[in-house]
Amino acid sequence: MRKLVRIVLLLLLWQNCLSQKVPKRELFLQTDSLEKIVLDVEVKFNIKFSFVATLVQNYRVSLPKKKYSLEEIIEIIETQTDLKVVKIDDRFYAIVLDEIVDSSLVNKLEEVIVEGFVVSGINKTTEKFTVYSQKLAVLPGTIDADVLLSLQHLPGVKSPNETASGLHVRGGTADQNLVLWDGIRLYHPGHLFGMISGINSSLVQSIDFYTKAVNPKYGERVSSIIDIKSATNITDKTEMSAGLNGLNADIDLKIPIVKEKLSVQMASRKSITERFQSPTFRQLEDKVFQNTVFNDFNNQNQFEFQDFGTVINYKPSERSAISLSGIYIGNNLNYNTLRANSVLENQEMSISNFGSSFKWFQRFSARFSQEILVHHSVYDFSYNNKQTFSTADFEAYRKLNRVVDSGLEANFKYIFNSFIYFDFGYQLAGNDVSHIFKTSTQDLGLVLSFRQAFNLSHVGYSMIKVKKATWQIQSGIRFTNYRNLTNTVEPRISVQKSISRNFILQCSYEERSQVLSQVRENTVNDLSLENYVWAISDDGNYPLQRNSQSTLGAIYKKNNWVFDLDLYHKKTRGVTVSLFEFANQNVSTVFSGEAFTNGVDVLIQKKRPTWSAWITYTYQDSKNRFSGLNNNAFFPINSNIQHAISFSYFKKINDFSFTARWFAHSGKAFSSINEQTQVISFNSENLSPYHRLDLSGSYEFQTWKNTTFKVGFSVYNVYNNKTVISKEFERRFTNFSDLTEGRYVVQDFNSLGITPNIFVRVLL
């Protein structure tokens, strides 16, 4: 009994010591002028505030009688006013006007759990990762802060086909990621068939990346949310930057129009591949166009890409902000092949995604604000294949896919006090999606597949966040009324408990739905590079996808060490697969089923002022089953990679930065077919393990007239380990009889070989 009493006393004493580490002082001012409160706080905590008297004289702050820490008082001042308290050092603080940033009131309850997660420029909070593009340190194998490639360094994020845009997050597919830029939906956010990001990093201020505990204002996808935001500040001087690397050239321009009121930013990027095929492009060309006829690009046979973006920011008052944004992402392919018997084959492909948005933010008081968003996006895919036998004899195939996405959002935020935050709103969204496959000769035209559908959604959502003592709870719900589908109600909740100053526990549960997804189309598959089309869910072949996810995690931080562990279970219903996915030519239906993923994400990191090192490990078991396939039993998904591990190191010496990463994963699952092109096993075999080493470095220096230069290099797959990373069944077409009697070949796709790149950037 005495031992038990001693243990209890020791625990109480330990808890008391912890509570005393943060000094608290009693204040009883009720509602008083901010200037008087600041003077009292200076005396109580032996600190000094600097501020402009005219700035604070009209503010009043309420402090009920209790003991406060300095951090709690600062939080109350920032919550109840439009001001921000900036820490200069341990004794001196400055009170300044809190600028309107992004398009929402700053969430005072959103505590940064890990700052510099992996590298500087990436922070982790309870619900998301935030990547600050302009502050992002150089990452292994990449140059110039590629927007989407940077996310692949986070635990749980994979790219089985080594693309930037083909992110598979916790067992989800790439089309299950919602990619936003200033509220604009992006349906093809990549260049060179996804090998690099289609969003110019100059147009990016921050990226909010959600994999769990997603705010209910986000919907539309069942995997991750990638919310990319441009800068909203009004620039006070003209700034320009330009860059060049082995794939493209770019330019960025920021111009003030009306001082402190109106400014514009424009950024453009253009490939150089149609005029100059660098070693970088040649390596990417070998990877992307393997198993196709596209193997000799020159000035006649060309692949090119470009993107353009513009942002206009207007600040009519200190409480409001308006922005207009527009973006265009384009990829074009034009290739001619002279086949046997003088048959000329021409293949043309065009992929474009353009959109615009209007945002109006209004802060009605220190507690209440709104954001109105109007967005519009159009995705167009066009592929033409024409074989000319003579001037009057030809065969042609054509494939078109178009998505028109428009919407209106009204989002509202209210802060009850420094502990409770409320978020609610309404969204209206419309999707018009169509695709058509057709074939023709000089005598006959035939539509092989045609589908057009429209969806209208009404959404209402609400969320409340409570932060009290060592607890933080976020709970919300999203209700969606679909035009032709069953309504959905999606509850979401996350709980965080600080066991001590160093140890945090987290758990969450959420449900999500998806009405728009990609389906594999193999009716005409001469071009196997892009054989997916976007389609809307219906009550038939393409059901509404529904997803639920449960997570349990822990974070331990001490002495510049971070240990991050996350366990999760995901279940998705309404997944579909077409017959050609498994090469069964005698079945002509689309199979519907379900999938699940059990996974573990681990990060261990050590960080010092001039260097950091980290290890990430992901275990993932993803399986699906479909009615009528594999005796209705579960089998691994096509992209299942069970084990992935990486070791990374970053070092900064003055103005030089260097980073390295060794990465390895187990082989993807694949199926086997027999001579009759029938499946004899569903993803029961695995490819060989894969590994590579990536390096990157950069050097930044200034010259005359404050001109800054930045030069750097990257080497992807340093020791040129080329491994089969995917096997695909390709259906071949050479005549009309093949439309009813399929013939298939198994194609091996290799990893990207050693790929060097260099860049130079100048900032004026």
Side-chain angles (χ1 to χ4, degrees), residues 302-335:
Q302 296 183 351
F303 176 85
E304 60 179 327
F305 61 84
Q306 59 277 321
D307 57 67
F308 175 80
T310 184
V311 180
I312 301 174
N313 289 315
Y314 175 52
K315 191 175 179 182
S317 70
E318 295 298 338
R319 291 177 174 267
S320 60
I322 294 173
S323 67
L324 290 169
S325 303
I327 192 170
Y328 170 79
I329 301 172
N331 290 263
N332 296 281
L333 171 72
N334 190 337
Y335 202 92

Side-chain angles (χ1 to χ4, degrees), residues 44-45 82 97 110 136 143-144 158 174 247 279 312 315 356 373 380-381 438 498 511 513 578 609 699 717:
K44 292 280 187 181
F45 290 92
D82 296 332
L97 188 64
E110 190 175 287
L136 187 63
I143 60 171
D144 242 8
K158 300 178 182 178
L247 295 174
I312 301 174
K315 191 175 179 182
S356 58
L373 168 67
D380 271 312
F381 175 90
K438 57 184 180 180
S498 297
E511 294 183 9
S513 63
S578 64
Y699 178 68
N717 196 356

Side-chain angles (χ1 to χ4, degrees), residues 8-22:
V8 172
L9 290 174
L10 286 173
L11 288 173
L12 291 174
L13 180 61
W14 176 70
Q15 181 68 30
N16 184 56
C17 291
L18 283 180
S19 63
Q20 291 180 358
K21 287 184 179 180
V22 180

Side-chain angles (χ1 to χ4, degrees), residues 56 68 150 241 293 340 467 535 590 594 669 713 756 759:
V56 302
Y68 294 91
S150 63
S241 69
V293 299
K467 182 180 178 182
V590 175
E594 60 180 339
F713 74 94
F759 76 93

Side-chain angles (χ1 to χ4, degrees), residues 154-218:
L154 301 176
V157 183
K158 300 178 182 178
S159 180
N161 293 324
E162 295 187 304
T163 62
S165 59
L167 300 180
H168 289 234
V169 181
R170 294 188 166 184
T173 54
D175 65 305
Q176 293 175 341
N177 304 318
L178 177 63
V179 184
L180 305 170
W181 180 77
D182 280 0
I184 301 168
R185 277 64 179 162
L186 300 180
Y187 291 89
H188 190 81
H191 286 315
L192 197 55
F193 297 96
M195 294 304 296
I196 62 174
S197 300
I199 305 102
N200 191 332
S201 60
S202 299
L203 287 167
V204 177
Q205 181 185 56
S206 65
I207 309 162
D208 288 337
F209 180 53
Y210 299 81
T211 62
K212 63 177 183 178
V214 175
N215 188 316
K217 76 176 181 179
Y218 295 106

Side-chain angles (χ1 to χ4, degrees), residues 652 654-657 698-712 759-764:
K652 185 174 179 63
N654 298 324
D655 295 324
F656 178 76
S657 298
S698 67
Y699 178 68
E700 187 172 321
F701 59 96
Q702 284 191 339
T703 59
W704 67 96
K705 297 182 180 179
N706 295 323
T707 300
T708 300
F709 283 88
K710 188 175 182 181
V711 295
F759 76 93
V760 58
R761 177 166 297 279
V762 56
L763 299 93
L764 303 175

